[in-house]
Amino acid sequence: MTEALKPADPFADIRPYHDDEVPAALERLINDDELLAAIAHFRFPRLSRYVSGLLKPLIRRALHKRWAQVRTVRDVQNEVAHFMEQMIASTTQGVTYSGLEQLESDKSYLFISNHRDIAMDPAFVNWGLYKCGLETVRIAIGDNLLRKPCATELMRLNKSFIVKRSAKGPREMMKAFSELSAYIAHSLAEGSSIWIAQKEGRAKDGDDRTDPAILKMFYMAGKQQKMAFADYMQRLNIVPVAISYEFDPGDEAKARELVERAQSGSYEKGEFEDIDSIVAGIVGFKGRVHVSLGAPIQAPYDTPEALAAAIDQAIHSQYRLFPSNLLAAGLGAGISEAERQQFLERLARMPAELQETARAMYARPVLNQQSAS
């Protein structure tokens, strides 16, 4: 089929890259000065200050060699899996899963997840699927995280699709949400599962709550088909996901933001703060990590609010509580002295004015689970 006769791609500006787009995207990355500088700074923090110009050509050649055989989306996923293996070995004390056995390989699912870490939450879900031989998910990512062209390239290579949070005005926002809803429906219909956070932004206070507005966005595609809310949402195969980290690499930064908001009523985010958070989440120590996938929600719920409450109930009850959570909530029975000291020393390393906020952050999942029970 000639270019002129090809049907228009309605999701071209938000969807992940297709196989035939991978080589060109990799070439753009290899020649992106900002990416090369970022790699030089990360790998050689001291040296890069003085000889960044000399390091860039070396890094470019290394990337060329590393990615020479990467031609498809699956090849990219294999590269990511290699990185995940190294990251898990160096920054965690093990990653465990529950609920993977409920998934069927011939079905697509809409994974609605609590959100603690920008990059690692979907990465850990994907790792579990990958290790079980299941197809990895397409990942929803806000365009606020894609200010640099290289970030957009990397995310779209890794099966991410763009949520246009920067849309302004009712008409532009409605168009963006309608496109997003249609793309999610399209993906599920063609057999591709989706990962999306239960609300915009991370739960920095540890309180995992589903925003009904997310569910209303999903329903926009169903509404166009004149389907009832309950019927359409049942069709999406919604799976509630609870991801728990024994230690949150971003706990101190989150506590600082929460304290500043409480004191001044606002918080001014730095230009590259989200990127710093992504890096901290990847390289920071996490202790044990558990990913719990609930059973697909089959019961009919007539309103977004009722469905959101059901998702919350599932996430709160599934959440794996670690000693850090229990100690923060004042439940220390059965916890070893070593685990107690590890948590107390972590809090003690933070400025005194942040410690109570951080402790409350770790305690919140315990309170939510008690309420869910």
Side-chain angles (χ1 to χ4, degrees):
M1 185 180 291
T2 65
E3 290 295 322
L5 294 177
K6 280 185 179 179
D9 183 347
F11 308 115
D13 62 333
I14 66 167
R15 62 162 175 77
Y17 286 139
H18 295 156
D19 283 347
D20 60 353
E21 297 167 310
V22 168
L26 290 174
E27 195 62 30
R28 289 192 294 271
L29 283 172
I30 288 168
N31 290 290
D32 189 296
D33 270 352
E34 285 190 294
L35 177 65
L36 297 176
I39 294 172
H41 176 70
F42 179 69
R43 293 294 302 272
F44 313 101
R46 294 181 181 176
L47 197 59
S48 66
R49 295 180 190 175
Y50 309 105
V51 291
S52 177
L54 296 176
L55 289 172
K56 286 180 184 178
L58 297 175
I59 294 169
R60 184 180 288 115
R61 282 199 292 273
L63 291 178
H64 256 300
K65 184 177 180 181
R66 174 89 194 207
W67 292 343
Q69 303 304 317
V70 179
R71 315 303 295 171
T72 66
V73 173
R74 186 170 292 279
D75 291 339
V76 173
Q77 293 288 284
N78 289 336
E79 282 290 299
V80 172
H82 177 72
F83 168 80
M84 284 291 294
E85 205 151 29
Q86 294 178 322
M87 183 276 301
I88 288 169
S90 61
T91 73
T92 80
Q93 291 179 320
V95 182
T96 54
Y97 292 84
S98 56
L100 282 168
E101 70 283 351
Q102 302 174 102
L103 304 179
E104 299 177 39
S105 60
D106 60 344
K107 286 187 178 179
S108 56
Y109 298 93
L110 176 55
F111 297 101
I112 299 183
S113 168
N114 69 331
H115 195 24
R116 300 303 180 82
D117 188 278
I118 296 170
M120 288 293 93
D121 292 349
F124 280 125
V125 171
N126 260 346
W127 178 248
L129 297 173
Y130 180 86
K131 294 295 283 184
C132 285
L134 299 172
E135 192 62 40
T136 53
V137 298
R138 294 176 178 175
I139 301 165
I141 185 167
D143 60 1
N144 58 302
L145 301 174
L146 305 176
R147 296 176 186 175
K148 300 290 185 182
C150 60
T152 303
E153 300 283 13
L154 285 167
M155 292 301 101
R156 294 184 74 180
L157 278 167
N158 192 34
K159 296 181 70 171
S160 295
F161 60 95
I162 300 168
V163 178
K164 296 178 181 176
R165 290 181 180 168
S166 59
K168 304 295 181 187
R171 183 173 296 179
E172 188 181 348
M173 290 173 66
M174 184 64 70
K175 181 182 178 183
F177 292 151
S178 180
E179 179 185 35
L180 181 60
S181 182
Y183 178 71
I184 290 171
H186 165 79
S187 292
L188 294 169
E190 68 176 15
S192 295
S193 293
I194 295 287
W195 179 95
I196 192 167
Q198 65 183 155
K199 66 176 182 179
E200 183 178 326
R202 291 166 291 161
K204 292 168 185 170
D205 59 357
D207 191 13
D208 303 311
R209 301 284 167 182
T210 304
D211 186 351
I214 298 285
L215 307 180
K216 292 175 185 176
M217 178 273 291
F218 296 153
Y219 179 53
M220 291 176 78
K223 198 171 186 179
Q224 287 188 339
Q225 300 173 45
K226 301 191 179 338
M227 291 184 68
F229 178 83
D231 294 338
Y232 184 73
M233 301 311 276
Q234 280 182 303
R235 208 167 78 173
L236 298 183
N237 267 343
I238 291 174
V239 173
V241 180
I243 305 171
S244 48
Y245 299 84
E246 185 172 18
F247 299 109
D248 183 342
D251 49 11
E252 184 174 332
K254 291 175 183 177
R256 183 175 291 107
E257 178 178 338
L258 292 170
V259 168
E260 187 171 325
R261 285 187 186 279
Q263 291 176 346
S264 66
S266 64
Y267 177 76
E268 191 66 35
K269 187 181 287 189
E271 183 182 1
F272 301 113
E273 191 168 327
D274 285 330
I275 301 301
D276 291 340
S277 296
I278 290 172
V279 173
I282 293 170
V283 304
F285 179 67
K286 306 161 190 63
R288 290 168 287 183
V289 180
H290 185 76
V291 182
S292 174
L293 295 88
I297 293 178
Q298 299 296 329
Y301 293 94
D302 293 326
T303 67
E305 292 74 19
L307 180 54
I311 294 169
D312 291 349
Q313 166 80 15
I315 289 175
H316 294 164
S317 60
Q318 291 166 210
Y319 193 98
R320 173 69 59 86
L321 299 174
F322 289 113
S324 53
N325 305 115
L326 299 169
L327 287 166
L331 303 174
I335 293 174
S336 72
E337 187 59 30
E339 289 171 329
R340 186 185 306 274
Q341 283 303 312
Q342 189 177 25
F343 179 63
L344 293 178
E345 287 171 8
R346 187 176 186 89
L347 289 183
R349 286 195 294 269
M350 300 181 193
E353 67 274 14
L354 304 182
Q355 292 177 18
E356 179 54 30
T357 299
R359 186 204 61 77
M361 180 196 312
Y362 280 100
R364 188 71 208 202
V366 179
L367 305 179
N368 284 343
Q369 193 164 104
Q370 289 171 342
S371 296
S373 299

